[in-house]
Amino acid sequence: MTDGGIARLSLNQKTLNRYSLPAAVAECVRTGIPAMGLWREPVQEYGLTEAAELMRSNGLRVSSLCRGGFLTTDSPEARAEALRDNRLAIDEAAELGAPCLVLVVGGLPDGSKDLAGARQRVVDTLAELAPYAERQGVRLALEALHPMYCADRAVLSTLEQALDIAEPFPENQVGVVVDTFHVWWDPKLFEQIERSGSRIASFQVCDWLTPLPADVLLGRGMMGDGHIDFPPIREAVRRAGYTGDTEVEIFNEEVWSTPADEVVDTMIERYLHLV
Amino acid sequence: MTDGGIARLSLNQKTLNRYSLPAAVAECVRTGIPAMGLWREPVQEYGLTEAAELMRSNGLRVSSLCRGGFLTTDSPEARAEALRDNRLAIDEAAELGAPCLVLVVGGLPDGSKDLAGARQRVVDTLAELAPYAERQGVRLALEALHPMYCADRAVLSTLEQALDIAEPFPENQVGVVVDTFHVWWDPKLFEQIERSGSRIASFQVCDWLTPLPADVLLGRGMMGDGHIDFPPIREAVRRAGYTGDTEVEIFNEEVWSTPADEVVDTMIERYLHLV
C-alpha cells in the first residue's frame, strides 16, 4: 500500500534493542532500508564520530536522534544540567546529520503535583534551547507521549498541546513528532495532523497492543499485531506535507528477543502491506 | 479543605469491592457518609427492590448507578441486545432513585480497527436511549475513560469529546462524568470543565499511581497516594455549577484487601484534607 517501496522507511535503533549499532546497520544494508533513527546512549558507546562515519560510509540517512528533553525539573541546578545535556544532544544530532532531535519533555518532578508548572517549564526551557538548535542546523521535535506517561515521563500529552507549544517558535527551530502509538486514540488527531503542516519533524509507527504488558513502556507492538489503522494516519501526515522518513520504533520484549533479521524482514513486510 | 465536611461525599461501592451491599451501607451509617454510588451486578445480586429499600431505610442517597454503555458493537443483534440492556439499566437507576446512569461506551469491536465508526455508533445509539432515559427521570452520564482504555473499553477518551457528543442532546438527557483518574492529564481539562457547566452529572475522584500495576484496570489509588492535585479540579467543577456528590471510586487490589472500616476512615480523612 505504501508508494515507493521502502525508500522512506527508517529503522529506529530501539527496534533492535539488543543489537549493536554495526549489527543494525548491517540489517539496513542487507535489506536496503535507507535510514535509521538513532539513540544517544548506544551512539555514545560506539563513539559519536565513529557512528557518524559508519552511517555515511554505508550510505544511510539518520532520520532522527532520540532523545533530548527532561525539561520539567524544578531546581536551578537540575535545570542548568538539563540545558547543558540538551545542548550536547543537539551537537550530537548535528554531527550525525540528523534533521531533528526528539524531545521527551519529562514528567512531574519527584513529589510534585504541579502539572501546570511542569508544563510551563517546558515552554521556558525550550525558549533557551531553540535558537541554539537552529544555529546547529537541528530541529527540536516535541514528542507528545501517551497520556498514561504524563506523571512519570512526559507532561506533553497530545499533538494539539505540542503544536500550541511549538507554534510561537520558527518552524525550523521547533517541530513535532507524530507517533502512532502515542496519538492513535486522539479524537482530534486528524484535525491536529492537518494543523501540523510542515511542523511535522518525524513520523514514527508501531502498534497498540492489548492487554498492555506489565511494564507499559514495552507495550508497543509490530504493525498489524494491535489495534491501529495506519493508512488513514499515514495519509493525513502525507497530506499535511511531510515528505520525510517513516520510522519504525518498537519497544517490546518479544520483538527484542527475536533474531534481528526476522524482525527486520517482518517489519518491511508489515510496513509495505499495513502502513 | 472541603467545605461542608462530608455532606457531599459518596462512597462508590467498588471501593469496597469485596464487601456486600449491606456491609457498605453499614459503613456509611457508621461514619455519616450520606450517599453511595452503586453498581448493577451487586445490586441485582442483592435484589433491586431490596437494594432501593435498603438505601431508603438508611437515609442514603444514590449518587449514580454504574454502568450502562458498551454501545460500539457492529452487529445488529449485539446492538439490539445493548439497547435492551441499557433500557433495563435505566429502569434500575430510576427505581434506585439514582440521578444518573454512568455510561462506559465500549471499545473497538473484536478485530475491528475502525475507531471513527465505533465512535459514530456511540452517538447513534445514544440518540435512541436518551429520550427513554428522560422519560424515566434518569440522566445518561457519558464517562470519558483514560486513553489507555481506548481499544478495549471506551472509545470516549476526553471530556471535550464527551461534551461534543452530549451537547446536541437536552441537558437533562445527557450529561458527562468528570473522573479525576481519567482526565487529570488533559491539557484542556480546566477549559472543558468550565464548558461542561450544568452538563456535569457526576464527579468521581481517585488518584493516579505510578508505576501502573500489571492490570491497568486496578491502577486507581486512594487520594494522596499518587500524582493528582485535587483542589483545583474540585474548584473548577464547583465553579462550573456542580452541586452534586463527590464519589470516591477506587479500583485497587491493596485497597480491596484492606478491612472496610480502615478504607472508609482513610477515605474520609483524605477527602477532607486533600480533595
Side-chain angles (χ1 to χ4, degrees), chain A:
Chain A
M1 308 223 287
T2 306
D3 298 337
I6 59 171
R8 281 294 173 184
L9 175 58
S10 173
L11 170 67
N12 186 289
Q13 186 169 13
K14 267 288 166 190
T15 304
L16 299 183
N17 196 38
R18 305 248 162 83
Y19 288 85
S20 67
L21 181 60
V25 165
E27 277 302 313
C28 289
V29 171
R30 176 181 73 84
T31 56
I33 293 173
M36 282 185 69
L38 300 181
W39 279 65
R40 293 184 69 196
E41 297 76 5
V43 163
Q44 287 165 356
E45 202 174 293
Y46 186 73
L48 177 64
T49 315
E50 293 76 8
E53 175 51 29
L54 182 69
M55 300 296 287
R56 265 194 294 273
S57 63
N58 284 285
L60 295 175
R61 290 191 298 277
V62 179
S63 47
S64 73
L65 180 64
C66 276
R67 59 198 181 182
F70 302 98
L71 310 175
T72 53
T73 48
D74 51 4
S75 82
E77 300 73 29
R79 183 164 187 274
E81 170 56 25
L83 282 168
R84 194 199 59 76
D85 189 56
N86 275 281
R87 290 198 187 95
L88 191 61
I90 291 165
D91 295 344
E92 292 166 11
E95 174 145 3
L96 291 165
C100 67
L101 173 69
V102 174
L103 299 186
V104 171
V105 303
L108 291 168
D110 275 354
S112 167
K113 297 184 181 187
D114 180 12
L115 183 54
R119 284 172 167 164
Q120 186 55 49
R121 285 193 296 280
V122 172
V123 176
D124 297 342
T125 317
L126 199 61
E128 295 202 34
L129 287 174
Y132 182 81
E134 184 182 21
R135 285 198 296 279
Q136 298 293 79
V138 172
R139 184 141 77 144
L140 301 176
L142 290 171
E143 180 161 25
L145 257 57
H146 194 284
M148 71 182 171
Y149 303 120
C150 182
D152 48 1
R153 197 149 298 258
V155 295
L156 185 55
S157 306
T158 63
L159 185 54
E160 183 173 19
Q161 185 193 3
L163 288 166
D164 287 345
I165 294 175
E167 282 182 347
F169 296 92
E171 227 170 61
N172 61 335
Q173 286 185 2
V174 182
V176 297
V177 180
V178 176
D179 181 319
T180 56
F181 178 83
H182 294 304
V183 301
W184 76 280
W185 59 272
D186 189 345
K188 303 184 81 177
L189 177 61
F190 293 97
E191 169 192 322
Q192 296 299 319
I193 290 178
E194 187 181 347
R195 174 186 168 200
S196 302
S198 42
R199 289 272 169 190
I200 302 176
S202 173
F203 179 45
Q204 304 190 337
V205 295
C206 69
D207 215 335
W208 177 271
L209 307 179
T210 51
L212 281 171
D215 180 347
V216 294
L217 284 176
L218 303 182
R220 309 192 199 190
M222 183 64 79
M223 298 82 75
D225 288 350
H227 301 278
I228 300 179
D229 188 21
F230 294 97
I233 303 178
R234 181 252 302 156
E235 260 314 287
V237 166
R238 193 194 59 75
R239 269 200 315 275
Y242 181 74
T243 56
D245 294 308
T246 300
E247 262 184 41
V248 178
E249 185 191 49
I250 301 176
F251 291 59
N252 182 297
E253 195 44 53
E254 204 180 311
V255 171
W256 288 351
S257 14
T258 303
D261 57 343
E262 272 184 53
V263 171
V264 172
D265 289 345
T266 304
M267 179 183 102
I268 291 174
E269 193 258 326
R270 301 284 182 90
Y271 171 77
L272 289 173
H273 292 94
L274 296 175
V275 183

Side-chain angles (χ1 to χ4, degrees), chain B residues 16 25 53 80 99 160 205-206 220 224 272:
Chain B
L16 299 184
V25 165
E53 175 51 28
E160 183 172 18
V205 295
C206 68
R220 308 192 200 188
L272 289 174

